Every structure is written in structure tokens, then in C-alpha cells.
Amino acid sequence: MTGLHLFSRLSSRRSDSLSDATLTERRVSDLSNKSLHTYHEPNQDAPRRWVTSFKFRLDPTIVGKKKARRNRAFVVVALILALGGIAVLVWFSLVLTLIDRLTPTVPSNGLQRIVETWKGPADSVALLSPWPKDFSQGITPVQCHSHNDYWRSVPLYEAIAAGCTGVEADIWLEGGDLLVGHGKRSLSPDRTLKSLYIDPLTTILSNLNANSSTNSSVGVFDVDPSTSLTLLIDIKSDGNATWSGLLDQLAPLRSAGWLSHWNGTSKTLVRGPVTVVGTGNTVFDLVLAEEDRYVFFDAPLNEIAQSSTYTTENSYYASVSLSKAVGVVWPWGPTDNQKQTIQKMISAASERGLLSRFWSIPSWPVSLRMRLWQFLVDSGVGMLNVDDVVQATRWNWDWCIVAGLVLC
């Protein structure tokens, strides 16, 4: 019994030791598994596999130093691209918001409806019937000159709709008629001085003055009917041959009393709703030969200070190319000497009662053009020569360029 009891106890102890060994192995195994899969609290969600895989790819002890360094570089580049993309999206969102906020509202009136529906020269008169009683409602006249106005999608009307008080037409004597265009190759039989300018202006003024309660004729701008619209005629063909044709074409406006003119008898300047100025090949002696002058001369602005020839008796504009006046204007703006020269010319023209005008203003870079426009206006220029009439009259020039982007 004793021997059996002893054997039984030894067997029991051996079994217990085996159980302890097994339990120890299981614990070691569990700890090993936990170390491999990272221990987490009972209430904590297990990390996704891709996170673990991502960490392993950046661990040099697992993937090697070279591969880990390369993977880290990829991560940095990806982050930079992502942040850059977000920055670009934010920037574009801000720009679009600025454009929406800064874009000037388009007035609703007869002029604007004509601009939107005009298709050809025949429409310049056809679209005035029936007469739109709100023709120029809400348009404030601005002392700007629509340079090469005939190039616009809608000659005459776009400039007036923007508020510009001056328009320009280049004319050629061809087959007894005065065709409008910059060069001979651009001429067309239906684009004449009469169809694009004389006839529509005659019709417009006829309607505006039909029920006028004032003794004097009213002009095209409802806000300020006393404003005179300047029609600059740039004669491209022979000046002597073209002169009589020009006077004949102006007859309807002259006979109705709508043209500004110099009264040779009373020696006075009579203001009218339209003022015609001749430039280009216009012969100054032919202007002087008319006792009652219905066409004024575009005097050379750079010669005004040295000559007493040009006065309000014979001239209205005083113009010069900006480059001819001051030389090359670099992108960073005019020099102090150039500014002084410009201001002296403006003052000289003003003292003679003439409207100063600088043409050939650089259109690029836009920032230079805006600075020149602002400087000319601040200096008291008589007429601001512009190619973009909407940008010149409706946009806030201070917000035309934002973050290097041209908004206007």
C-alpha cells in the first residue's frame, strides 16, 4: 500500500509539472502573438491592416534602410501634392468668388438690348424701331475714347453702352462712298460711315429730341443730356479728295443742328450733341477754310506748347502717340521724367481749351496699362484712349489684378 501510494503521488506531481509546463508554453505563445499583433485595450478597435502594413513599409528593421528611405520619400511627395492640390482648389475658389463679387452689373436698357441682338450694319438703324424709351437709362458718361471703335462686335453702341463719350471711325473713299475699316483689305460695302455712325446717330437724336422740353438739343446720354459725343474721323485715303464727301455725309446731323461748330460770324463755339473731329490725313487748311466749321482738327499734342496755331476755333482734340511723346515705357512704369513730360502736355492742351489724348498705350502687361490709365486720369487727361471700354468704365481698377490673375 505504501509503495502504491508513493507511486501515485509521484505520478500526480509529474502530471502537475507537465500541466505547468504546458500552461507556461501557452502563455509564452500568447505573449509572442500579442507582441506581433500589438496589444490593445478591450474597448479599443483593432487597427486596420493597411495601417500596420504602412508602418512596416517605413520600418528600416523590417524592409531595410534603402527601401524604407524610398517609401518615406514617396510619402513626403504624396503629402506635398495633396496639400498643393488643396491650396490650388482654395485659391481658385477665392478667385471665382472675387470674380463673382467684382464683376460689374450690366445695366438693363435699350442700348444693352441692341448690343446683345445686333448682327450687322443694317441693325444699327433697324433695332431702333420701335424706339426704346430706356435707350441710355442708367449710363454715366465717362471721358474715354473708344479707340478703333469699328473693330468692336457692335460699333458705336458698345462704346455708348459703356459710357464712353468718344468713338473713332477710319474712313476710305472708295467708289464715291466712305467705307469704314483699318485697312483696304478689311473694307466691306455694307460697313460705311453712313450705315455704322451717321444714320444711327441721326435716328437716335431724332427720337431723343422729338419731345424735348428744352430749347437746346439733348445728347445721347440720359443721365447728362448736355454731354457731346465725339466722332473722331480718321481719314485714311487722300485728305483732299475725301473732304467734300465727308461734309456731304455729315449733312443730316448738321441740318438738324446737332453738330458742335465754330460760328464764324459771332466767333463763338456752339456745343452740340455730336462733335466731329478730323485726324489722320485730314488737311488742316481745309478745316480752316470753313468759316462755320463743323469738323474740328485733332491737333498734335506734342507741338501744342511750342505753337499758337491750334485753338478752340479750329481744334478739339490734341493727340499724340505715347511712345512718340515720351519714348518706350517699360513694364515697371513711366519714369519721373516721362511723367513730367506727360503732365506738361496735358496742361498745355488744357490751357488752350483742348482735350488731350494719348494713343498707343501699351496693352500688356495689364498691370502697366492700369497704372498708366490711373496716372493719366489723375493728371487730368482730357480723353482716356481705351481699347477695352467695359474694363475702362465699369471695373474697379484697383481690383483688376488679384494674385497675378487678370479678373477684368
Side-chain angles (χ1 to χ4, degrees):
M1 291 294 293
T2 303
L4 291 172
H5 179 67
L6 180 61
F7 178 77
S8 176
R9 290 181 63 183
L10 290 172
S11 297
S12 177
R13 287 179 179 178
R14 185 178 179 184
S15 176
D16 290 342
S17 65
L18 288 172
S19 295
D20 291 342
T22 302
L23 182 61
T24 300
E25 289 179 0
R26 287 179 179 177
R27 287 178 177 175
V28 171
S29 177
D30 289 342
L31 288 173
S32 177
N33 289 335
K34 287 180 179 179
S35 65
L36 288 174
H37 298 287
T38 308
Y39 177 77
H40 29 265
E41 297 295 334
N43 295 329
Q44 182 180 354
D45 293 334
R48 299 181 182 275
R49 290 183 179 180
W50 68 269
V51 175
T52 304
S53 176
F54 178 74
K55 289 182 179 180
F56 283 171
R57 292 177 182 277
L58 302 179
D59 191 341
T61 61
I62 298 176
V63 298
K65 291 183 178 180
K66 186 175 180 180
K67 191 171 183 179
R69 191 181 301 113
R70 184 184 64 187
N71 291 342
R72 288 176 182 174
F74 286 152
V75 171
V76 171
V77 171
L79 287 173
I80 292 175
L81 291 175
L83 293 173
I86 293 172
V88 169
L89 288 174
V90 171
W91 182 74
F92 269 112
S93 298
L94 291 173
V95 168
L96 291 174
T97 301
L98 280 173
I99 292 175
D100 181 64
R101 294 291 180 89
L102 296 174
T103 299
T105 56
V106 178
S108 177
N109 51 39
L111 268 169
Q112 193 58 42
R113 290 194 295 275
I114 291 173
V115 169
E116 292 172 355
T117 56
W118 193 93
K119 294 180 180 178
D123 290 331
S124 292
V125 173
L127 292 176
L128 294 172
S129 181
W131 172 250
K133 293 183 178 180
D134 59 347
F135 178 71
S136 60
Q137 180 178 295
I139 299 174
T140 302
V142 180
Q143 289 293 96
C144 63
H145 173 80
S146 177
H147 181 234
N148 290 338
D149 180 78
Y150 50 88
W151 272 350
R152 305 199 183 284
S153 300
V154 186
L156 180 65
Y157 290 101
E158 272 190 40
I160 301 177
C164 280
T165 58
V167 294
E168 178 180 342
D170 292 2
I171 63 170
W172 300 78
L173 179 62
E174 292 287 325
D177 203 356
L178 299 179
L179 305 186
V180 175
H182 195 66
K184 281 195 171 185
R185 292 183 179 180
S186 64
L187 300 180
S188 175
D190 61 338
R191 295 178 66 85
T192 66
L193 180 65
K194 192 172 184 293
S195 67
L196 293 178
Y197 295 95
I198 304 300
D199 285 350
L201 283 174
T202 302
T203 305
I204 290 168
L205 293 173
S206 295
N207 283 279
L208 289 173
N209 288 279
N211 300 313
S212 177
S213 58
T214 62
N215 293 326
S216 58
S217 299
V218 300
V220 299
F221 295 103
D222 181 61
V223 172
D224 186 1
S226 64
T227 300
S228 182
L229 178 71
T230 303
L231 175 58
L232 181 67
I233 303 294
D234 188 344
I235 297 179
K236 294 294 187 180
S237 49
D238 181 77
N240 290 286
T242 308
W243 182 251
S244 59
L246 173 60
L247 295 182
D248 289 343
Q249 296 257 333
L250 294 173
L253 294 171
R254 183 177 65 251
S255 60
W258 294 326
L259 290 184
S260 298
H261 64 280
W262 175 258
N263 188 314
T265 303
S266 62
K267 304 298 181 183
T268 56
L269 176 63
V270 181
R271 300 284 185 179
V274 177
T275 301
V276 180
V277 180
T279 189
N281 290 334
T282 299
V283 181
F284 183 60
D285 289 341
L286 291 178
V287 173
L288 291 178
E290 300 290 331
E291 184 178 4
D292 292 333
R293 300 182 188 112
Y294 289 88
V295 178
F296 294 88
F297 193 66
D298 184 17
L301 181 56
N302 55 321
E303 299 176 14
I304 289 293
Q306 295 80 30
S307 174
S308 58
T309 303
Y310 308 103
T311 66
T312 54
E313 293 184 19
N314 52 58
S315 302
Y316 188 76
Y317 273 0
S319 309
V320 70
S321 164
L322 185 63
S323 58
K324 185 176 182 179
V326 298
V328 177
V329 179
W330 298 105
W332 48 86
T335 64
D336 291 338
N337 288 336
Q338 288 176 324
K339 289 180 179 180
Q340 291 174 7
T341 300
I342 291 172
Q343 290 171 333
K344 287 179 180 178
M345 290 183 179
I346 292 174
S347 297
S350 180
E351 290 171 0
R352 302 288 179 86
L354 306 179
L355 297 179
S356 54
R357 180 180 70 101
F358 293 89
W359 52 276
S360 191
I361 296 174
S363 59
W364 187 91
V366 176
S367 57
L368 172 61
R369 181 179 61 191
M370 306 313 294
R371 286 199 299 272
L372 286 171
W373 280 4
Q374 191 64 63
F375 171 72
L376 289 171
V377 171
D378 292 343
S379 299
V381 70
M383 290 290 280
L384 183 64
N385 194 86
V386 299
D387 289 303
D388 191 324
V389 294
V390 173
Q391 185 182 105
T393 60
R394 294 180 185 166
W395 273 86
N396 183 330
W397 296 351
D398 293 332
W399 290 95
C400 194
I401 301 175
V402 177
L405 186 68
V406 180
L407 303 184
C408 55

